[in-house]
């Protein structure tokens, strides 16, 4: 009988699938204690569950998932594009093409009001200094700053909107993941790393 790490909407996620992910994941720099090794397995289960949930979500939305790529290529993403996300979600996006497709879909559906873009520009003047103003050390919020020291709003508007949409898409992905995994059932030894019902728990995202 195939051992199960979790059950997602009646479909099992096998321990073999978790083991495969662990073999491809970056190894620990030094031998782990039994407690840390158990937590690593629980963390890996969450990543694999996220992949399964994302696959289901893509199927329901009619989204095409690209072909699989090597574990090395997948995990390399974690050091760049998803480095600012929590460890489980970052690893899920690095490991799972389905999760990345779903993130892109959620991001594409976000609408950023013009007022939000303009407010961001006005609040973050330090991010829009011209190269010359940067060289001169202009304080963007000081009295000496002139309008010519700032890149004009039309020149940076598209980039700001893209950044805000990206942030909104990631918030939507976090919300989706929290809701989607609420009904997942975990086998003993594969619970969430922050589950207080086991003695090794620690709460990290």
């Amino acid at each position: 009988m195939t051992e199960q790490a979790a059950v997602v909407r009646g479909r099992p996620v096998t321990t073999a699938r978790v083991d495969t992910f662990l073999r491809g994941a970056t190894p620990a720099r030094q031998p782990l204690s039994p407690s840390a090794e158990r937590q690593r397995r629980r963390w890996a289960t969450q990543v694999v569950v996220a992949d399964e949930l994302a696959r289901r979500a893509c199927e329901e939305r009619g989204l095409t998932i690209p072909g699989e790529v090597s574990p090395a290529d997948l995990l390399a993403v974690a050091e760049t594009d998803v480095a600012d996300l929590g460890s489980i979600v970052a690893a899920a996006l690095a490991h799972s093409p389905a999760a990345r497709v779903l993130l892109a879909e959620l991001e594409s559906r976000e609408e950023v009001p013009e007022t939000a873009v303009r407010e961001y520009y006005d609040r973050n003047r330090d991010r829009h200094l011209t190269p010359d103003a940067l060289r001169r050390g202009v304080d963007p919020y000081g009295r000496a700053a002139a309008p010519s020291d700032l890149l004009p709003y039309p020149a940076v508007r598209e980039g700001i909107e893209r950044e805000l949409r990206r942030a909104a898409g990631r918030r939507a992905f976090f919300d989706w993941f929290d809701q989607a995994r609420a009904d997942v059932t975990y086998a003993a030894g594969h619970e969430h790393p922050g589950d207080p019902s086991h003695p090794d728990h620690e709460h990290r995202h």
Side-chain angles (χ1 to χ4, degrees):
M1 181 177 177
T2 302
E3 293 188 19
Q4 298 178 2
V7 178
V8 178
R9 297 185 189 176
R11 184 185 300 178
V13 171
T14 65
T15 56
R17 191 167 163 187
V18 176
D19 291 338
T20 297
F21 172 72
L22 279 171
R23 284 195 296 271
T26 304
R29 295 182 179 179
Q30 57 186 8
L32 298 176
S33 67
S35 175
E37 190 59 52
R38 286 192 294 270
Q39 284 296 76
R40 188 167 182 262
R41 174 166 290 277
R42 292 180 175 113
W43 169 83
T45 301
Q46 288 292 309
V47 175
V48 174
V49 163
D51 173 59
E52 180 62 30
L53 289 168
R55 288 174 183 272
R56 298 289 191 89
C58 287
E59 290 174 5
E60 292 167 359
R61 291 167 168 81
L63 302 174
T64 301
I65 303 171
E68 301 294 330
V69 296
S70 72
D73 289 339
L74 288 170
L75 291 164
V77 181
E79 299 301 323
T80 55
D81 293 341
V82 296
D84 59 327
L85 294 172
S87 64
I88 290 173
V89 173
L93 288 168
H95 167 70
S96 170
R100 293 197 294 277
V101 168
L102 179 60
L103 174 63
E105 169 69 9
L106 293 173
E107 182 179 318
S108 71
R109 292 179 175 273
E110 292 295 327
E111 295 185 4
V112 180
E114 182 65 26
T115 54
V117 180
R118 183 72 207 201
E119 287 172 2
Y120 184 93
Y121 175 80
D122 292 337
R123 286 197 312 269
N124 297 277
R125 293 163 61 91
D126 56 309
R127 301 192 64 180
H128 309 304
L129 288 169
T130 65
D132 179 65
L134 286 170
R135 283 193 298 271
R136 290 186 286 113
V138 171
D139 177 2
Y141 303 104
R143 292 184 178 180
S148 59
D149 291 323
L150 297 176
L151 297 170
Y153 177 69
V156 297
R157 183 201 169 283
E158 183 177 347
I160 294 173
E161 182 182 18
R162 183 167 54 248
E163 183 175 339
L164 294 178
R165 181 177 290 109
R166 183 169 179 257
R170 292 186 173 206
R171 289 193 298 271
F173 187 89
F174 272 108
D175 290 344
W176 163 81
F177 185 40
D178 281 342
Q179 294 175 19
R181 65 180 172 177
D183 296 328
V184 176
T185 303
Y186 298 98
H190 295 270
E191 310 91 336
H192 190 285
D195 185 342
S197 67
H198 65 80
D200 304 319
H201 81 278
E202 56 181 271
H203 195 78
R204 293 190 304 167
H205 288 282

